[in-house]
Amino acid sequence: MRKPDLMGKDQKMNNNNNNNNVKSKLRKGLWSPEEDEKLIRYMLTNGQGCWSDIARNAGLQRCGKSCRLRWINYLRPDLKRGAFSPQEEELIIHLHSILGNRWSQIAARLPGRTDNEIKNFWNSTLKKRIKNSNASTTSPNNSDSSEPTRDVLGGIMPINEHDLMAMCMDSSSSSSSSSMQAMVFANQLDPFSMLNNRYDMANAASFADMSACLSQVGMVDGLYGDYGMIEPNKMGLERDLSLPPLESRSIEDNGAPIDVKSHNNHINNSCFNNTDQIQNHNSKVEDLFGFGNHGQGENFRMGEWDFEGLMQDISSFPSLDFQVQ
DNA sequence: AACAACATCAACCGCAGGCAG
DNA sequence: TCTGCCTGCGGTTGATGTTGT
């Protein structure tokens, strides 16, 4: 990946002129663990606002755009990391056949996935797979509309596009729970402690596991979505803040190499080890913050549609054998 | 072991649209 | 209406990892 670049291209050009404006101080390139932590802390305590303000107030020498991207694609708590499941692949392929390269819309229909992630996945994997599949199975005249259409992966797409569109577009307005509030409460109202007390998503066998876990604490809503209008004390609970495995990659921070692996371990080790902590606080949190009252005047839009509903729909598909717990 | 080719994916860039003044 | 700022989106880049020779 890109090395952290204290001076971007234009900054380097400006540097000769001793251009001391703000822009020339902006960092570019990979984010260091310290920067991540700054942004996480700021977002947890202050919530989402004007990104340029966030960048400034969080003490980050980054442009707001960069902060937004980092948060959306990497740091936000409701992200699901890891490989795409076959079901997700199928959904992506089918949604792409309908929506085209509207990655944000596709991402909005895939829990915990970002448009960037899906875009990369499509360009790097699915595109080729489809190409190969088409090359090997070019048998025209399979247009019997009464039959379930077979997608490029060989799975049966049991619904027509209209149904799928309806399924995708028919978003329930159920909003997320006040999960950030819960997280704050679960950490004795100390948002900073959350940095050291995260649920390790790596321990979750699957997204369904996580859904089941969260549903127990009334958190399944808002697990995903269009990045959320995150307000103070209204952010996703016990989704991990762990970072995706960069493995042994190392990055530099101000010239000093940073072991990303240890950085990730630092993050991961501080995650919740189990859901006990969540559950222990559940009733109190619900009492205090009214978890039962989904969608009552909350601005925290974590999704435009009802994930549970979709999961039920999907799980009812003959070709999709995973079930929502 | 060394190198090349390919794959992956975080991050950047430029543009468009919305909104306020 | 114009201007500037901000956000969001999609395309692209390029560093790094992996695989093949």
Side-chain angles (χ1 to χ4, degrees), chain A residues 264-283:
Chain A
N264 288 342
N265 285 340
H266 155 69
I267 301 286
N268 285 330
N269 288 340
S270 56
C271 293
F272 286 120
N273 290 325
N274 52 52
T275 58
D276 290 349
Q277 289 166 277
I278 303 164
Q279 292 167 355
N280 286 345
H281 292 288
N282 182 36
S283 57

Side-chain angles (χ1 to χ4, degrees), chain A residues 211-226:
Chain A
S211 299
C213 164
L214 296 188
S215 66
Q216 291 180 33
V217 291
M219 296 293 175
V220 73
D221 290 345
L223 203 53
Y224 59 89
D226 61 338

Side-chain angles (χ1 to χ4, degrees), chain A residues 37 40-41 44 183 187 190-200 241 265-273 277:
Chain A
E37 190 160 321
I40 292 170
R41 280 175 181 267
L44 292 183
M183 180 152 58
N187 288 277
D190 176 12
F192 293 105
S193 68
M194 290 181 290
L195 289 168
N196 298 316
N197 198 14
R198 303 181 185 105
Y199 172 57
D200 186 357
L241 295 168
N265 285 340
H266 155 69
I267 301 286
N268 285 330
N269 288 340
S270 56
C271 293
F272 286 120
N273 290 325
Q277 289 166 277

